[in-house]
Amino acid sequence: LTIEDVLNKDIMDLIIPSDQVAHVQVDNPLEHALLVLVKTGYSAIPVLDASYKLRGIVSKTLILDFILGIERIEFEKLSDHRVSEVMKTSMPILKTDDPFIEAVKLSINETFLCVEDENHIFQGILPRSALLKFLNHYLRD
Amino acid sequence: LTIEDVLNKDIMDLIIPSDQVAHVQVDNPLEHALLVLVKTGYSAIPVLDASYKLRGIVSKTLILDFILGIERIEFEKLSDHRVSEVMKTSMPILKTDDPFIEAVKLSINETFLCVEDENHIFQGILPRSALLKFLNHYLRD
Ligand SMILES: Nc1ncnc2c1ncn2[C@@H]1O[C@@H]2COP(=O)(O)O[C@H]3[C@@H](O)[C@H](n4cnc5c(N)ncnc54)O[C@@H]3COP(=O)(O)O[C@H]2[C@H]1O
Ligand SMILES: Nc1ncnc2c1ncn2[C@@H]1O[C@@H]2COP(=O)(O)O[C@H]3[C@@H](O)[C@H](n4cnc5c(N)ncnc54)O[C@@H]3COP(=O)(O)O[C@H]2[C@H]1O
């Protein structure tokens, strides 16, 4: 692998395709989202709407923060509130033809990046591990 | 930055030093560990013993997994159990003089790496963001 091979790498070769990405819907109760997060073991997952468009990211941290009261963690709040009330909506989004260097730059502050096509249909995610695996391959040679 | 600069990078230039790393003690109750994780916002943090030696890593995922019952999340278990009962002890550990490429390889499967000196005293952590920031700097030039 040369430095040109790295800079010209197609990010679509590295992504986890949408059918393998655990996700929840915008209007799901928080209880459902926390169970999906706990059962999959993931810290954070994408939130999609009914037309498979990306709407945000929900995480164990955001849910636990929301239900952390002054004295204790108020678990009864989980069934009364929805994903849309806690999800983060300000995340960077990659387009399918974005350059590899853009993915590296955005991954400095995100554990994974969501990828959309030109019609804003969710294509999958690019986790930091995929970038690190490819960069390690380059450095090793 | 040349490829030699990257391969010869001292990992100690990139670590978060131990006094800035949120951590808990082996014998802390789980309730305390979950509150530290929620208040700092971190997904996972190191577990140290009284002599500042690394003993494991505890995470929101490991704690939530432990208290997930068949019907519901059993929060009352938090005060009856300790960090040592859920922490992961099989994590890779970097030495202060390990090469940069070793840190990249181990970061493929770990969100951060703990760093120890030759006397096994905890020195700090090397998060994936630090590696990605440095690699981005190299690729950009
Ligand atoms: N079931 C599993 N099998 C093997 N390794 C596992 C694993 N769960 C977690 N890991 C390891 O732990 C890292 C952090 O996972 P985390 O859930 O905090 O953070 C994850 C999670 O929030 C999200 N993610 C990864 N794969 C996902 C998927 N299939 N569906 C939804 N979200 C996913 O992307 C973040 C970064 O993932 P990345 O691969 O860079 O980094 C992962 C991976 O190296
Ligand atoms: N308070 C904050 N301010 C700014 N950005 C924040 C942040 N909390 C989280 N992030 C961002 O989110 C990423 C994932 O954080 P997470 O808590 O899952 O995973 C973190 C956490 O488990 C641990 N970590 C990072 N800094 C720590 C510290 N000072 N003490 C203890 N653990 C730390 O290392 C993992 C990887 O950290 P990394 O920097 O690569 O990646 C961080 C960073 O990019």
Side-chain angles (χ1 to χ4, degrees), chain A residues 9-119:
Chain A
K9 182 69 176 171
D10 182 349
I11 61 168
M12 295 304 280
D13 291 343
L14 299 173
I15 74 164
I16 299 179
S18 58
D19 59 349
Q20 293 169 31
V21 176
H23 66 273
V24 288
Q25 299 283 322
V26 189
D27 53 2
N28 285 157
L30 282 183
E31 195 166 37
H32 171 74
L34 188 59
L35 277 178
V36 169
L37 285 163
V38 175
K39 287 212 187 299
T40 58
Y42 296 126
S43 299
I45 56 176
V47 179
L48 307 181
D49 64 21
S51 59
Y52 226 66
K53 297 227 170 87
L54 184 68
R55 298 287 296 278
I57 287 173
V58 69
S59 68
K60 286 170 180 154
T61 296
L62 288 170
I63 295 174
L64 287 170
D65 259 347
F66 183 77
I67 62 175
L68 180 66
I70 296 168
E71 298 274 314
R72 44 180 279 277
I73 296 179
E74 299 164 2
F75 291 95
E76 58 285 359
K77 278 172 77 171
L78 287 174
S79 41
D80 308 333
H81 295 273
R82 301 200 177 282
V83 168
S84 55
E85 294 176 64
V86 303
M87 69 187 185
K88 172 174 84 167
T89 54
S90 59
M91 65 288 176
I93 296 171
L94 282 178
K95 286 279 175 275
T96 51
D97 58 359
D98 272 342
F100 180 80
I101 183 97
E102 181 67 12
V104 174
K105 191 184 82 187
L106 292 177
S107 286
I108 292 170
N109 291 311
E110 302 293 329
T111 58
F112 67 90
L113 298 166
C114 293
V115 183
E116 291 183 339
D117 69 11
E118 61 286 354
N119 302 317

Side-chain angles (χ1 to χ4, degrees), chain A residues 60-61 75 101 108 129 138, chain B residues 60-61 75 108 129 138-139:
Chain A
K60 286 170 180 154
T61 296
F75 291 95
I101 183 97
I108 292 170
S129 61
Y138 163 66
Chain B
K60 286 170 180 154
T61 295
F75 290 94
I108 293 170
S129 60
Y138 162 66
L139 292 174

Side-chain angles (χ1 to χ4, degrees), chain B residues 55-57 87-93 110:
Chain B
R55 297 287 297 278
I57 288 174
M87 68 188 185
K88 171 173 86 166
T89 55
S90 59
M91 66 286 178
I93 297 172
E110 303 294 328

Side-chain angles (χ1 to χ4, degrees), chain B residues 6-36:
Chain B
V6 172
L7 294 172
N8 294 325
K9 183 70 177 170
D10 182 349
I11 61 168
M12 296 303 281
D13 291 343
L14 300 174
I15 74 165
I16 298 179
S18 58
D19 58 350
Q20 293 169 31
V21 175
H23 66 274
V24 288
Q25 299 284 323
V26 189
D27 54 2
N28 285 158
L30 282 184
E31 195 165 40
H32 170 74
L34 188 60
L35 277 178
V36 170

Side-chain angles (χ1 to χ4, degrees), chain A residues 34-35 38 78, chain B residues 64 67-69 71-76:
Chain A
L34 188 59
L35 277 178
V38 175
L78 287 174
Chain B
L64 287 169
I67 61 176
L68 180 67
E71 298 276 315
R72 44 181 278 280
I73 296 178
E74 299 164 358
F75 290 94
E76 57 286 358

